[in-house]
Amino acid sequence: MADGSSFYITTPIFYVNDVPHIGHAYTEVAADVLARWHRQAGDDTWMLTGTDEHGQKILRTATANGVTPQEWADKLVAEAWKPLLDTVDVANDDFIRTTDERHEKNVQLFLQRLYDAGHIYTGEYEGYYCVGCEEYKQPSDLVDGTGEYEGQKVCAIHSKPVELLNEKNYFFRMSAFADQLLALYEERPDFVQPESARNEVLSFVRSGLDDLSISRSTFDWGVKVPWDESHVVYVWFDALLNYITAVGYGQDDEEFARRWPAQHIVGKDILRFHAVIWPAMLLAAGLDVPRGVFGHGWLLVGGEKMSKSKLTGIAPVQITETFGSDAFRYYFLRAIAFGQDGSFSWEDLAARYQAELANGFGNLASRVVAMITRYCDGVVPAAGATTEADDEIRAIEIRATEASLAAIERLAPHDAIAAVWELVDALNGYITSEEPWSLAKDPDKRERLETVLHTAFRGLGTLGVLLSPVLPVATAKLWTAIGGEGSVADQRIDRAWEWTGGERVSALEALFPRVEEKSE
């Protein structure tokens, strides 16, 4: 459970060769929900996201658009990547760009230290390179092309031909760390999650590690190798270092000691970089390995991985402008088991919005506030003698709090939301069975009416605290209506049922309006 210690969580830093789609937003939201939960549990929390702006792919994209790589990156960051965070309400603490001076100079520092320690040497490499992945590919990573690429070998991820490259490069002695990596995976079974991801990484390392080419000399868009400026640092070696350059590596030892190590949330297609190359780099530098690496699944549209090139990319705003940011956050973390692939459909989103958010949580909130307004003139009633039904609601409040926290600890936000939803369903059932509208007709049942409304009010406030990391907009509105003290985002989520509210309720607008109304 949360104990007030440091919790540093990261997303990958995203390529600025194109605008973001819902797959990128899914990663951002997952990390944000985990971060918000830990913040509300009292942990010293820090969330990092950002953009990866070096490498051949960015250079080619910029050139094709008639601008410099820096101009292209600046435009995409300002017009697409930073606005994405507002679109889906991500409350990140920092945003790093690999073109930041704080990053570039400390990439060089890290590289120089590895070079001085003998972990880097000069060599020659020939292999098949995927510009889309910015990675040399093994034969097992290639498939036969189809259509216009028939007869060629293409990248299994991007479905585009690879390029045969031969370069004199600098190499990192990654193979020397295979045994240490295997020992790490053995000693810390949860270092790579979920289990399917761990098994993939174990198999990859057990099959033998090659040394890693860490420089390129055929183009110059990147961080210069400090001892040889005719080379630039391999984009992945550069990019992975953002996780430490952003929290003080090389320039603020106190901040670095406070924040590092981090929990990484990444897509499964970049798992090996984070679970193999990155810890090997850190071991070579004498630094702590990450807290863990979680490889989540892909979002599938029409059975295929989200892709701009295949025209399956959906902009997050296409969803939020109709359903709102809360619905986006809720849907992708509730409908998809975190760590598995998940299929997106507009029909499923609309159905869940109506059944679970509008009718389930939203209608519950409206009914409770409306009944206190109608039957008690807006004054929150005190509870009288309680029954088993009342006590059961209280027990579920506590159980939902504890179960959701336990789920967050094991990086299972879908289970955390499901645990909280037990309280949503229980409160709806409680109101239906207790029938406060019938109790209100009988003056002799006034005490019972007030006890029921008090119980429902307390449960609703607990829901507001527990759902705040997932539904920040709706819960903020609810919190105001029930007179909660301070900001709902500042409430201790590990003691959600102890929340403090005011003496009165105020008007509450529909938390999840009918979609037809929002689109007019």
Side-chain angles (χ1 to χ4, degrees):
M1 285 299 165
D3 57 9
S5 59
S6 174
F7 181 73
Y8 173 30
I9 188 167
T10 72
T11 71
I13 52 173
F14 300 103
Y15 282 131
V16 293
N17 64 304
D18 207 341
V19 297
H21 54 57
I22 59 174
H24 302 110
Y26 172 51
T27 309
E28 294 277 19
V29 166
D32 180 59
V33 167
L34 292 168
R36 286 175 183 263
W37 223 294
H38 277 270
R39 281 193 204 103
Q40 285 192 235
D43 287 335
D44 182 15
T45 301
W46 197 256
M47 179 190 163
L48 174 71
T49 189
T51 45
D52 184 359
E53 303 175 14
H54 291 137
Q56 193 169 11
K57 180 161 58 174
I58 306 304
L59 176 60
R60 289 184 179 181
T61 302
T63 301
N65 284 274
V67 295
T68 68
Q70 188 66 66
E71 288 171 335
W72 178 260
D74 290 346
K75 175 181 173 65
L76 265 289
V77 169
E79 297 179 2
W81 288 97
K82 284 191 173 178
L84 168 67
L85 305 177
D86 293 330
T87 297
V88 291
D89 280 319
V90 170
N92 55 301
D93 296 286
D94 195 3
F95 187 99
I96 191 165
R97 301 176 59 181
T98 53
T99 52
D100 288 345
E101 181 185 3
R102 59 171 171 163
H103 176 73
E104 292 191 348
K105 72 177 184 180
N106 289 306
V107 166
Q108 291 183 314
L109 174 66
F110 184 95
L111 199 65
Q112 187 69 56
R113 288 175 176 174
L114 259 57
Y115 183 74
D116 293 343
H119 295 299
I120 295 174
Y121 65 93
T122 306
E124 193 168 308
Y125 191 83
E126 180 176 276
Y128 292 106
Y129 195 82
C130 173
V131 175
C133 292
E134 294 281 15
E135 178 187 16
Y136 280 105
K137 293 294 185 177
Q138 299 299 315
S140 59
D141 298 323
L142 305 178
V143 297
D144 293 328
T146 58
E148 63 177 308
Y149 303 131
E150 187 172 354
Q152 301 180 62
K153 290 292 184 181
V154 302
C155 169
I157 294 175
H158 288 91
S159 300
K160 290 186 176 180
V162 289
E163 301 175 14
L164 181 63
L165 300 183
N166 186 303
E167 289 183 295
K168 181 179 180 181
N169 294 337
Y170 289 100
F171 286 77
F172 167 52
R173 300 183 192 276
M174 189 166 69
S175 60
F177 295 93
D179 289 343
Q180 285 177 258
L181 289 172
L182 289 172
L184 168 65
Y185 308 145
E186 183 69 28
E187 292 164 9
R188 292 172 52 185
D190 61 348
F191 178 75
V192 181
Q193 295 186 68
E195 187 68 20
S196 58
R198 180 176 184 272
N199 291 338
E200 176 193 328
V201 168
L202 273 171
S203 176
F204 179 73
V205 177
R206 283 172 177 162
S207 68
L209 288 183
D210 295 326
D211 289 343
L212 180 69
S213 173
I214 60 163
S215 73
R216 299 290 304 277
S217 58
T218 55
F219 61 90
D220 63 359
W221 178 239
V223 179
K224 302 291 186 183
V225 172
W227 63 87
D228 183 351
E229 293 200 350
S230 67
H231 286 246
V232 293
V233 180
Y234 170 46
V235 63
W236 268 104
F237 202 91
D238 159 10
L240 288 164
L241 288 164
N242 90 89
Y243 302 125
I244 60 174
T245 62
V247 289
Y249 173 80
Q251 61 188 35
D252 189 337
D253 293 342
E254 183 178 344
E255 179 71 359
F256 184 57
R258 175 185 179 184
R259 299 292 178 202
W260 187 255
Q263 172 65 54
H264 300 312
I265 304 297
V266 302
K268 66 179 182 180
D269 51 332
I270 55 173
L271 178 67
R272 292 179 188 177
F273 294 102
H274 289 82
V276 181
I277 296 174
W278 179 223
M281 291 166 59
L282 293 164
L283 289 168
L287 299 174
D288 289 339
V289 297
R291 171 182 178 137
V293 178
F294 192 102
H296 69 70
W298 288 338
L299 293 188
L300 307 177
V301 175
E304 290 191 327
K305 177 179 181 286
M306 192 80 55
S307 169
K308 288 287 183 182
S309 62
K310 295 180 180 179
L311 303 179
T312 56
I314 298 170
V317 72
Q318 291 178 259
I319 293 175
T320 60
E321 68 185 2
T322 298
F323 295 96
S325 59
D326 276 0
F328 184 105
R329 296 166 64 90
Y330 174 84
Y331 173 74
F332 285 106
L333 290 186
R334 178 75 193 272
I336 300 169
F338 197 53
Q340 298 179 15
D341 291 347
S343 293
F344 167 78
S345 77
W346 290 99
E347 293 78 10
D348 188 39
L349 170 60
R352 285 181 179 268
Y353 177 90
Q354 189 61 39
E356 298 168 22
L357 291 177
N359 292 344
F361 177 49
N363 191 46
L364 169 68
S366 296
R367 292 171 79 194
V368 173
V369 171
M371 286 188 292
I372 293 174
T373 300
R374 180 177 181 182
Y375 302 135
C376 303
D377 294 324
V379 177
V380 179
T386 61
T387 66
E388 184 177 338
D390 309 326
D391 295 339
E392 177 61 15
I393 291 296
R394 194 63 169 166
I396 293 174
E397 289 181 61
I398 297 171
R399 186 162 71 238
T401 300
E402 294 174 345
S404 60
L405 278 167
I408 292 299
E409 286 294 321
R410 63 177 186 271
L411 302 175
H414 58 290
D415 285 342
I417 297 171
V420 177
W421 227 254
E422 181 189 355
L423 180 56
V424 174
D425 293 339
L427 281 169
N428 276 315
Y430 172 78
I431 291 172
T432 298
S433 63
E434 296 300 321
E435 299 184 336
W437 50 89
S438 296
L439 296 173
K441 297 175 183 177
D442 186 346
D444 293 336
K445 295 181 179 178
R446 182 68 188 181
E447 180 181 328
R448 182 61 196 151
L449 170 65
E450 293 184 350
T451 300
V452 169
L453 293 180
H454 177 90
T455 300
F457 175 78
R458 292 298 311 173
L460 186 60
T462 299
L463 276 178
V465 177
L466 291 175
L467 289 173
S468 173
V470 183
L471 307 172
V473 176
T475 54
K477 292 177 181 177
L478 173 62
W479 198 247
T480 297
I482 63 176
E485 286 192 357
S487 165
V488 68
D490 294 333
Q491 306 308 305
R492 286 297 294 253
I493 203 166
D494 52 333
R495 300 192 299 271
W497 69 90
E498 296 179 358
W499 70 277
T500 302
E503 297 178 353
R504 300 186 61 88
V505 297
S506 56
L508 176 64
E509 63 180 280
L511 298 182
F512 301 98
R514 290 176 59 87
V515 168
E516 293 82 10
E517 294 173 2
K518 288 183 71 66
S519 60
E520 288 177 355

